[in-house]
Amino acid sequence: MFCFRSPTEEFADGYPSDETWHGYINNNDRVLLKTIRYTSPTSAGAECIDPDCTWVEQWVHRAGPREKIYFKPEEVKAAIVTCGGLCPGLNDVIRQIVITLEIYGVKKIVGIPFGYRGFSDEDLSEMPLSRQVVQNVHLSGGSLLGVSRGGPSVSNIVDRMEEGGINMLFVLGGNGTHAGANAIHNEVCRKRRLKVAVVGVPKTIDNDILLMDKTFGFDTAVEEAQRAINSAYIEAHSAYRGVGIVKLMGRSSGFIAMHASLASGQIDICLIPEVPFNLHGPHGVLRHLKYLLETKGSAVICVAEGAGQVRYADFLHKTNATDASGNIVLGDIGVHLQQQIKKYFKDMGSTADVKYIDPTYMIRACRANASDGILCTVLGQNAVHGAFAGYSGITVGICNTHYVYLPIPEVISYPRVVDPNSRMWHRCLTSTGQPDFI
Ligand SMILES: Nc1ncnc2c1ncn2[C@@H]1O[C@H](COP(=O)(O)OP(=O)(O)O)[C@@H](O)[C@H]1O
Ligand SMILES: O=P(O)(O)OC[C@H]1O[C@](O)(COP(=O)(O)O)[C@@H](O)[C@@H]1O
Ligand SMILES: [Mg+2]
């Protein structure tokens, strides 16, 4: 009976703890998922399942240390793997998982190099981890272990886990990585019936995982994007009929572009994948740009990489090419915008001085800021508490400011996207002053 998404009743002996210490989470503690009770579907931002906006209580497990633990620490061999693209805070999470495992008394802790690939590539070997190794890793960005896309099949991964005696696996990654983690969980638990815990920590700079307030690294990315936006503003503002373009990450979700635009207060046009727009025509982006140059003298555009390419339009006529993980390879919307803007003004016998800034990797290849550092710390600790409590096939997150365990399938059933009817998108529109481009 090892296939659980809640703590087992079979506890390791000898590790219950001080009953006078009220620092433990009761296994029945729960956190409420949705905290607003909407009166009508017309209330701003309402998410209703029926016209009466019937309120459905949804409770999730509260994260944290349990008094009784399921694994004997001396029998644990824990592994950590980081997959997908980089994200500020990966090293903070790795560090905290290692430190917390050591506090539980775990002696065998390893890192799997370069994502899931590290399970299959003969040239790559496990990296022994200890507090000493990870002590200062959070001071730099990236991942101590390395990351990659693509990699071996789930059964290969589980074969290697069995061979290596790994019985606790911490998986740091986004939607794709979590799909993999869930498949690993199903293989070890349901098929092979091994006593193994697979626990995820959501890593997505795009903030595209469901049900969570936010994911680590997102705040840092938004903050880092400010520098690019400010540079674009200064360039545009100092040029004769200057136009600044900043492209930010977001394959299918425009959260970084929306939040960075809102934070800066310097953006005139924000374009995200979730909101349709035309470039040409009476309501198009170019016409508005002309108006901005005539009235303000300059303009700054913030565009998410997936804007105009996924969902509503395909301005770049993308191929069906995919990366090693199966993600669609997008064209460069920033370059396309730059070309279209130059041509538009040239064709009308006018001019625009267009400066394009692409800080794509600069906003994620940096160390986490203080608030992300704290988030990483708590998530890392809770991942270890969850594994020791006997959870598997779960991931950790922050919901309504509380830390929780969520079943992986629930958070990756589809990517979280910006709701064009949300108050946050409307706040962004208020800040930019842009019209509908349709
Ligand atoms: N549906 C899936 N099932 C199993 N593994 C997957 C799945 N999708 C992606 N992966 C694996 O997860 C890893 C990371 O996926 P990727 O999409 O690149 O990044 P992210 O996890 O950040 O979304 C890759 O090694 C990829 O092979
Ligand atoms: O160039 P890379 O390494 O594939 O990363 C680019 C991708 O990283 C992201 O920011 C995040 O992607 P993941 O969550 O899959 O790591 C995407 O929006 C973007 O397309
Ligand atoms: Mg992905």
Side-chain angles (χ1 to χ4, degrees), residues 234-346:
I234 290 169
E235 286 286 344
H237 204 64
S238 308
Y240 175 61
R241 291 171 66 83
V243 177
I245 303 172
V246 177
K247 184 186 75 174
L248 295 173
M249 279 194 179
R251 200 186 281 123
S252 57
S253 306
F255 288 104
I256 300 180
M258 174 175 76
H259 282 246
S261 299
L262 200 48
S264 76
Q266 292 176 310
I267 296 297
D268 300 290
I269 299 174
C270 177
L271 303 172
I272 60 172
E274 295 88 337
V275 177
F277 62 93
N278 287 321
L279 283 181
H280 298 276
H283 304 292
V285 171
L286 296 168
R287 184 67 170 264
H288 185 60
L289 208 49
K290 177 171 174 283
Y291 165 78
L292 291 171
L293 293 190
E294 283 163 2
T295 52
K296 291 179 61 180
S298 64
V300 187
I301 303 173
C302 178
V303 60
E305 67 175 312
Q309 291 188 79
V310 296
R311 243 168 261 129
Y312 295 111
D314 184 7
F315 295 138
L316 275 72
H317 310 295
K318 62 176 180 291
T319 61
N320 285 330
T322 53
D323 68 15
S325 295
N327 302 304
I328 287 179
V329 176
L330 298 175
D332 193 329
I333 185 68
V335 169
H336 181 71
L337 275 176
Q338 185 180 26
Q339 289 166 348
Q340 292 295 310
I341 294 167
K342 282 183 176 170
K343 184 172 181 312
Y344 175 76
F345 286 102
K346 193 173 169 211

Side-chain angles (χ1 to χ4, degrees), residues 83-85 116 148-151 154 173-180 183 203 324-325 327:
C83 312
Y116 288 138
S148 71
R149 299 193 189 274
V154 166
N175 284 293
T177 306
H178 274 74
K203 168 246 50 157
S325 295
N327 302 304

Side-chain angles (χ1 to χ4, degrees), residues 178-191:
H178 274 74
N182 198 51
I184 295 169
H185 160 77
N186 284 332
E187 176 80 21
V188 288
C189 281
R190 297 193 195 289
K191 259 174 110 178

